Amino acid sequence: MSRYSRQELFAGIGREGQTRLRQSRLLVVGCGALGSALAETMARAGVGALTVVDRDYVEATNLQRQSLFDEEDAALARPKATAAEARLRRINSDVTVRGLVADVDAALADPLVREADLVLDGTDNFETRYVLNDVCLRAGVPWVYGACVAAHGVVLAVRPGQSPCLRCVLGEKPAAAWGETCDTAGVVAPIVQVVAGIQAGEALKLLAGRFDVLVDGLVTADLWSGTFDIAGFGGRAPWCPSCTERRFDYADAPPPSAAVLCGREAVQLRSDVTPPDIAALAARLRAAGEVVSNEYLVRFRAPEAELVIFADGRAIVKGTADPARARAVLARYVGA
Ligand SMILES: [Zn+2]
């Protein structure tokens, strides 16, 4: 009996669909709440290869909804991508799993998307999603957008050249300060499971080649008011430059050197300098405050500052939404 027998018995997938799933390569971008649920579901479903990319590390406040992580991951400040990789390997050793600790921009996404059959959105920001939308359209690779906050969420499956893209449906990228976020309005775990469940359902159809049963439109759900809806769009938007002119403004724009992390009172800084020697940096910072470090990052806490420096040269400075202030904090503890 195959470990996938219940999935093969399901008429929508069958033996043939399962064979297709086993041969597929999946990219999950962002491994917080949605990414955890998506990666776990698709690993259990038996995809061939699964790459998970995430820029962040596990914190205690993640554990209420980010189902791949536990208290030890938070105590050791493990990067989400590597913690997820280890957990997913224990869940299904059939799957070739790869976790990448990185911030997804167009340059990083492009080769990853091209080698994938499908991309799933586990991010928490429009910055990355609009880049991803362009990169996927350019490569002709389908992707499934998903988002949730408070008790409501949305899902949209995008088939390049066939169905409306994110830009068609939402218009140009909303301003960074637009809308509520999980860090301002909170989020309950069940909406994560609902949104990720709908995304994973669309993913199974796309990978099994069942395009005929894809949901046609933007799915919205609100678990608190008990409202569920699908809004159709009747095709791609005639004004969408990504779809009609193959003009990929978001993918072609240079990545910002500083990004205010949505609603988190934190700024991510990218550096062009050589990545720091993490061990030496950890040893030096121990004199000035509390340090947790591993091979990927150093987390430093002192009464007046909290920051994390990654081996890839990025830094996240907490307690401010001002890039200039964040740079000053970084310079003070790490050097310019
Ligand atoms: Zn479009």
mmCIF file of all heavy atoms in Angstrom, residues 137 164-165 167-168 240 242-243, ligand 1:
data_model
loop_
_atom_site.group_PDB
_atom_site.id
_atom_site.type_symbol
_atom_site.label_atom_id
_atom_site.label_comp_id
_atom_site.label_asym_id
_atom_site.label_seq_id
_atom_site.Cartn_x
_atom_site.Cartn_y
_atom_site.Cartn_z
ATOM 1 N N LEU A 137 5.124 35.529 -14.085
ATOM 2 C CA LEU A 137 4.551 35.790 -15.414
ATOM 3 C C LEU A 137 5.642 35.699 -16.481
ATOM 4 O O LEU A 137 5.439 35.119 -17.545
ATOM 5 C CB LEU A 137 3.894 37.169 -15.456
ATOM 6 C CG LEU A 137 2.603 37.368 -14.647
ATOM 7 C CD1 LEU A 137 2.076 38.769 -14.849
ATOM 8 C CD2 LEU A 137 1.539 36.361 -15.019
ATOM 9 N N PRO A 164 -6.319 36.111 -14.706
ATOM 10 C CA PRO A 164 -5.857 37.409 -14.200
ATOM 11 C C PRO A 164 -4.720 37.235 -13.193
ATOM 12 O O PRO A 164 -4.717 36.288 -12.415
ATOM 13 C CB PRO A 164 -7.092 37.982 -13.504
ATOM 14 C CG PRO A 164 -8.251 37.241 -14.044
ATOM 15 C CD PRO A 164 -7.752 35.881 -14.411
ATOM 16 N N CYS A 165 -3.742 38.172 -13.239
ATOM 17 C CA CYS A 165 -2.627 38.122 -12.298
ATOM 18 C C CYS A 165 -2.948 39.013 -11.097
ATOM 19 O O CYS A 165 -4.005 39.638 -11.032
ATOM 20 C CB CYS A 165 -1.327 38.549 -12.985
ATOM 21 S SG CYS A 165 -1.159 40.336 -13.226
ATOM 22 N N ARG A 167 -1.673 41.844 -10.316
ATOM 23 C CA ARG A 167 -1.770 43.242 -10.733
ATOM 24 C C ARG A 167 -3.125 43.496 -11.402
ATOM 25 O O ARG A 167 -3.734 44.552 -11.201
ATOM 26 C CB ARG A 167 -0.616 43.531 -11.694
ATOM 27 C CG ARG A 167 -0.194 44.977 -11.806
ATOM 28 C CD ARG A 167 1.053 45.053 -12.699
ATOM 29 N NE ARG A 167 1.566 46.394 -12.835
ATOM 30 C CZ ARG A 167 2.637 46.710 -13.574
ATOM 31 N NH1 ARG A 167 3.302 45.750 -14.215
ATOM 32 N NH2 ARG A 167 3.049 47.958 -13.663
ATOM 33 N N CYS A 168 -3.604 42.552 -12.202
ATOM 34 C CA CYS A 168 -4.932 42.658 -12.825
ATOM 35 C C CYS A 168 -6.014 42.842 -11.760
ATOM 36 O O CYS A 168 -6.952 43.615 -11.927
ATOM 37 C CB CYS A 168 -5.294 41.374 -13.581
ATOM 38 S SG CYS A 168 -4.379 41.028 -15.077
ATOM 39 N N CYS A 240 -3.412 45.870 -17.739
ATOM 40 C CA CYS A 240 -2.309 45.344 -16.910
ATOM 41 C C CYS A 240 -1.032 45.229 -17.741
ATOM 42 O O CYS A 240 -0.949 44.399 -18.649
ATOM 43 C CB CYS A 240 -2.670 43.987 -16.322
ATOM 44 S SG CYS A 240 -1.274 43.225 -15.440
ATOM 45 N N SER A 242 1.882 44.031 -17.027
ATOM 46 C CA SER A 242 2.567 42.739 -16.888
ATOM 47 C C SER A 242 1.969 41.726 -17.854
ATOM 48 O O SER A 242 2.690 40.967 -18.515
ATOM 49 C CB SER A 242 2.460 42.215 -15.453
ATOM 50 O OG SER A 242 3.078 43.091 -14.541
ATOM 51 N N CYS A 243 0.615 41.702 -17.952
ATOM 52 C CA CYS A 243 -0.055 40.697 -18.791
ATOM 53 C C CYS A 243 -0.088 41.079 -20.266
ATOM 54 O O CYS A 243 0.073 40.222 -21.125
ATOM 55 C CB CYS A 243 -1.490 40.481 -18.297
ATOM 56 S SG CYS A 243 -1.576 39.489 -16.792
HETATM 57 ZN ZN ZN B 1 -2.092 41.031 -15.105
#
